[in-house]
Amino acid sequence: MSSTATPEAPGSLHGRHAASGGPRSSHATGFWFVASAYTVLMAFGTVPTPLWPLYQAHDHFGATTVTVAFAVLVVGAAFAFSTLGHLSDRFGRRRVIVPALVVAIAGSVLMAAWPALPGLIVGRLLTGVAIGLMASTSTVYLSDLYHRAWPGDAGSSTPTIVATAANLGGLALGPLIGGALAQWVPAPLNTSYIVIAVIMAALVVAVLLSPETVDTTAAAGERRSARFALRAGHRTAFTGAAAVGFFAFAVMGLFSSLGAIIVRGQLHIGSTFIAGLVVAVAFAASALAQLALGRLPRSSLLATGTVLFPVGLALTAVSLYQPSLWLVLVAAGLAGAGSGLLIKAALTQAAMAAAPASRAGVLAMFFVVAYLGMGLPSVAFSLVIRHASLQPSMIGFASVLSAGAVAAAVVAARSRREVTA
């Protein structure tokens, strides 16, 4: 998951002060407040990843139930992206991000207080809603704040870099936090959620102090018409980008839902920290690949991603036949890096296909498709391995995802001429 800076939308307060009912931080300070909130909330989404085996032992359920519990987050996120993600274009960025944090805190408290399958599922649903609100809004909010704070630096890639680091960096931090606390702190199914809830509560105050960047007095009719609007002739470009996002996110879903179980079941490593490390490597590699190569043309990003993506998946399959921690880490890194480059190219293309006044709405729909990719293939894979052995199932899964990613990348590459850089 990544982001891209785009021009100011109509109604954004570039060059004007937002109306405020109290003291506000500067736009520069608000930029870092929002980046911090984005990072922590995304980390919360992956904190339970190394805890899945502990939940299995606690409630005596199998891999399919784990992927369903994981996919519940996807349901919540898809709902928020599709029905609420556009609201910041109309009502303001801060009025969406603060509720996102509050919903996440509620989910965290619930999972800490009710460490059983029902509490986990409801908490994950709330987490998904919070992520949907945050991811669809913070991307454009960071861009707004940056260009308001540094109006002479309009062409800077800083908002893109920071949003990428916040999004994927947060997803990488989550498993490390959850795994480390579970490994070395008592009450592993409670402590990490309490810690995250306290941090998010402090960030609610920080975001409330941040300045708004949307002119909420703009005509309501103008805002309603901008919910999801593409630039003329850009529908194929958006469709191709969304398809790439679907397959790229599927790899992240696989590692997030089943990575810890594979580490324990195939490598026979019981450490929750190591389980979290494998997932963290995938997300960190995704972020680093985007930061290192993100300035390449979209065609180069797609080409490089479609090479690394299947190589990483192939090595993941090999690691099941030759169990080795180093091989699993290399496979996770390559698959994550390939996925990250595909996501970067796809999200950039989707954002540039958006009409200026509906950036949040278009990005929200992109994430709906991408998050479905994160959840549905993992659930399907967990159902298959109930009736077939893991190793050949992984070979088939890797083949299907690789073929799908290549086909989607070809469609996106052919349509990239519609989108001018």
Side-chain angles (χ1 to χ4, degrees), residues 72-137:
V72 166
L73 178 145
V74 174
V75 172
F79 167 78
F81 281 131
S82 60
T83 62
L84 306 174
H86 68 288
L87 293 180
S88 75
D89 284 331
R90 180 178 181 186
F91 297 110
R93 315 301 187 202
R94 199 174 62 238
R95 290 180 179 176
V96 173
I97 287 185
V98 169
L101 289 169
V102 171
V103 170
I105 291 170
S108 186
V109 170
L110 177 63
M111 287 190 286
W114 193 5
L117 184 59
L120 175 64
I121 288 177
V122 176
R124 293 289 285 174
L125 182 64
L126 293 175
T127 304
V129 171
I131 286 176
L133 291 171
M134 175 65 76
S136 62
T137 302

Side-chain angles (χ1 to χ4, degrees), residues 133-215:
L133 291 171
M134 175 65 76
S136 62
T137 302
S138 57
T139 295
V140 289
Y141 196 13
L142 286 171
S143 178
D144 292 348
L145 287 167
Y146 185 85
H147 292 114
R148 181 72 173 89
W150 295 280
D153 199 15
S156 174
S157 61
T158 299
T160 301
I161 293 172
V162 171
T164 296
N167 190 333
L168 291 167
L171 291 170
L173 283 174
L176 293 179
I177 294 170
L181 290 175
Q183 186 72 38
W184 293 298
V185 177
L189 296 183
N190 312 96
T191 305
S192 56
Y193 301 127
I194 295 172
V195 170
I196 289 287
V198 170
I199 297 173
M200 289 191 293
L203 288 169
V204 168
V205 177
V207 174
L208 283 171
L209 293 175
S210 301
E212 182 54 75
T213 60
V214 169
D215 183 2

Side-chain angles (χ1 to χ4, degrees), residues 348-395:
T348 299
Q349 184 160 312
M352 297 183 75
S358 62
R359 289 177 300 157
V362 170
L363 289 181
M365 293 308 299
F366 172 86
F367 280 122
V368 168
V369 177
Y371 267 70
L372 289 175
M374 181 177 277
L376 294 180
S378 294
V379 172
F381 182 72
S382 71
L383 292 173
V384 169
I385 62 176
R386 292 180 63 182
H387 307 287
S389 59
L390 178 62
Q391 289 87 346
S393 298
M394 179 60 78
I395 292 175

